[in-house]
Amino acid sequence: MTDGVFDPASLSQAWAQPSKPRPIVIFGAGSIVSDAHFPAYAKASFPVAGLFDPDHDKAQRLAAKWGVTAYRSVEEAASIEDVIFDLATPPAHHAGVLRALPDNAVALIQKPMGSDLTEATDILAICRTKNLKAAVNFQLRFAPMMLALKDAIAKGWLGEVVDFDAWLALATPWQLWAFLMKAPRVEIAMHSIHYLDLIRQLLGDPHGVHAKTLGHPNHNVAQTRTSAILDYGDTVRCALSINHDHKFGRKHQACEFRICGTEGAAYLKLGLNLDYPRGEPDILEIHPKGGSDWVTVPLVGEWFPDAFVGRMANVQRYASGEDTELVSSVEDAWNTMALVEAAYRSSAAPATPIAARP
């Protein structure tokens, strides 16, 4: 807890590394693998055995770049022993890959945990039946700024958290992910799910959600704008305002969180989403309990690739017994999927009508 003067350098920003990491077998060769997984694993010196992608030429090019094997089938990739299986696959393909894995395997599954709650429930059943030690890649929890925020809250520097605001007004290049162009669920399921998952970690599970998610007349992506309120009762206010179609230059774009407590507050800029995938530096500032001004927390890394390092480090350490908790296990991640499902149900339901003039 708080004791003395706030020292921003004392906040934890990194996950402990495994003493003997297992090789990693990756399923998928898309942009998230080339932009985040491989750079993260190289930075952490995590060995990668190889990867599989249905587009074998694409897999070979990426494998050659990183000096790993390009497997020719799911079965070949799944047959590699004593590894961590890293599923960077579209959500509809998770279940098929998981069924091909050997019983008792260790797996990291790309978010979301299936295309909807029905698929998430199927994935949970597969993992239980095969006794898979499986987590979902909600890596925002492991970003240096988020680890530091969580530590600051745990140490009491904000007091009791009573407000959480997420505000995004930016231009997201959805065309980088071809499989999303025809997907029925996009914004909440593929993007804001990160924020909903992080909020669950910090505030617990809400009682419910009010949400509206919609597309934009200038394109055909299913949804790119969302407004949501999470119900935490009469003390905590939690709201998200998300607009991926603010394509009017950088000047008034934003990607930020404001978290207010009874005795302190935090401000975060998620720089990655501004000019993605190049991004801008992340920012964390804290107005600590007992302080008189905002204090900048010097960050030791960025969301990409450092969050992927921490995410895989926890999986590796859990597999070896060095960590006792598997963060965002499929059991916990199912609850994030249930919140996503509730948001879509809320969006599809009629709003409370306004009374007609008498």
Side-chain angles (χ1 to χ4, degrees):
M1 300 301 291
T2 56
D3 183 20
V5 178
F6 175 65
D7 178 10
S10 70
L11 299 177
S12 175
Q13 296 189 38
W15 203 266
Q17 295 299 288
S19 58
K20 190 178 180 181
R22 299 184 187 184
I24 301 165
V25 170
I26 301 173
F27 293 87
S31 63
I32 195 66
V33 176
S34 59
D35 294 341
H37 290 239
F38 270 113
Y41 302 157
K43 182 174 183 177
S45 298
F46 294 160
V48 177
L51 76 156
F52 165 77
D53 191 278
D55 185 340
H56 189 62
D57 290 340
K58 183 178 181 181
Q60 282 186 313
R61 289 193 297 271
L62 189 57
K65 177 180 177 181
W66 291 96
V68 302
T69 301
Y71 305 114
R72 290 193 169 275
S73 67
V74 169
E75 293 74 21
E76 182 185 2
S79 70
I80 311 303
E81 298 181 350
D82 298 320
V83 299
I84 306 293
F85 294 106
D86 187 9
L87 279 65
T89 44
H93 294 274
H94 295 341
V97 175
L98 291 170
R99 290 190 181 96
L101 300 185
D103 291 354
N104 306 307
V106 183
L108 179 60
I109 306 166
Q110 180 61 280
K111 62 82 191 163
M113 186 179 165
S115 302
D116 52 31
L117 191 60
T118 298
E119 289 187 10
T121 303
D122 185 29
I123 286 170
L124 182 60
I126 294 169
C127 293
R128 287 173 172 175
T129 298
K130 297 177 69 64
N131 194 34
L132 301 178
K133 298 179 180 68
V136 176
N137 202 344
F138 288 126
Q139 18 70 21
L140 182 58
R141 294 190 184 198
F142 293 87
M145 58 182 165
M146 298 308 176
L147 292 174
L149 171 66
K150 186 172 182 289
D151 195 26
I153 293 172
K155 290 176 176 174
W157 289 112
L158 273 63
E160 179 186 356
V161 175
V162 293
D163 281 286
F164 189 110
D165 284 294
W167 179 38
L168 277 71
L170 41 74
T172 298
W174 298 104
Q175 68 277 4
L176 293 179
W177 304 280
F179 72 96
L180 292 181
M181 294 301 98
K182 296 182 179 179
R185 291 182 171 186
V186 178
E187 204 291 310
I188 299 176
M190 300 302 299
H191 186 93
S192 286
I193 188 171
H194 279 302
Y195 313 144
L196 297 177
D197 180 72
L198 179 77
I199 291 167
R200 283 190 56 248
Q201 183 188 40
L202 297 178
L203 301 179
D205 289 310
H207 306 308
V209 58
H210 309 277
K212 183 66 177 181
T213 187
L214 62 162
H216 192 280
N218 286 349
H219 56 70
N220 294 321
V221 181
Q223 308 95 27
T224 52
R225 297 176 292 160
T226 299
S227 296
I229 299 172
L230 276 61
D231 180 5
Y232 281 98
D234 296 331
T235 301
V236 177
R237 182 188 65 87
C238 181
L240 297 86
S241 178
I242 315 291
N243 178 9
H244 294 273
D245 294 286
H246 197 278
K247 301 178 180 181
F248 309 102
R250 174 65 183 87
K251 182 176 180 180
H252 292 300
Q253 291 183 343
C255 186
E256 56 193 39
F257 292 171
R258 287 179 172 84
I259 299 96
C260 298
T262 53
E263 299 180 89
Y267 167 85
L268 300 96
K269 185 182 89 169
L270 288 70
L272 172 70
N273 290 333
L274 298 162
D275 191 23
Y276 183 91
R278 183 173 62 180
E280 299 177 5
D282 295 327
I283 293 174
L284 171 59
E285 296 179 356
I286 293 178
H287 195 295
K289 174 183 177 180
S292 59
D293 203 351
W294 289 92
V295 178
T296 298
V297 177
L299 296 174
V300 298
E302 304 288 344
W303 182 358
F304 281 31
D306 297 277
F308 289 80
V309 173
R311 171 66 280 185
M312 179 54 73
N314 171 241
V315 174
Q316 292 272 4
R317 287 174 58 87
Y318 185 79
S320 66
E322 294 174 282
D323 277 359
T324 57
E325 178 191 3
L326 181 59
V327 178
S328 296
S329 70
V330 288
E331 299 288 341
D332 177 66
W334 187 93
N335 293 322
T336 294
M337 293 299 296
L339 176 53
V340 168
E341 192 71 24
Y344 278 107
R345 289 202 311 270
S346 175
S347 183
T352 302
I354 300 171
R357 184 187 297 273

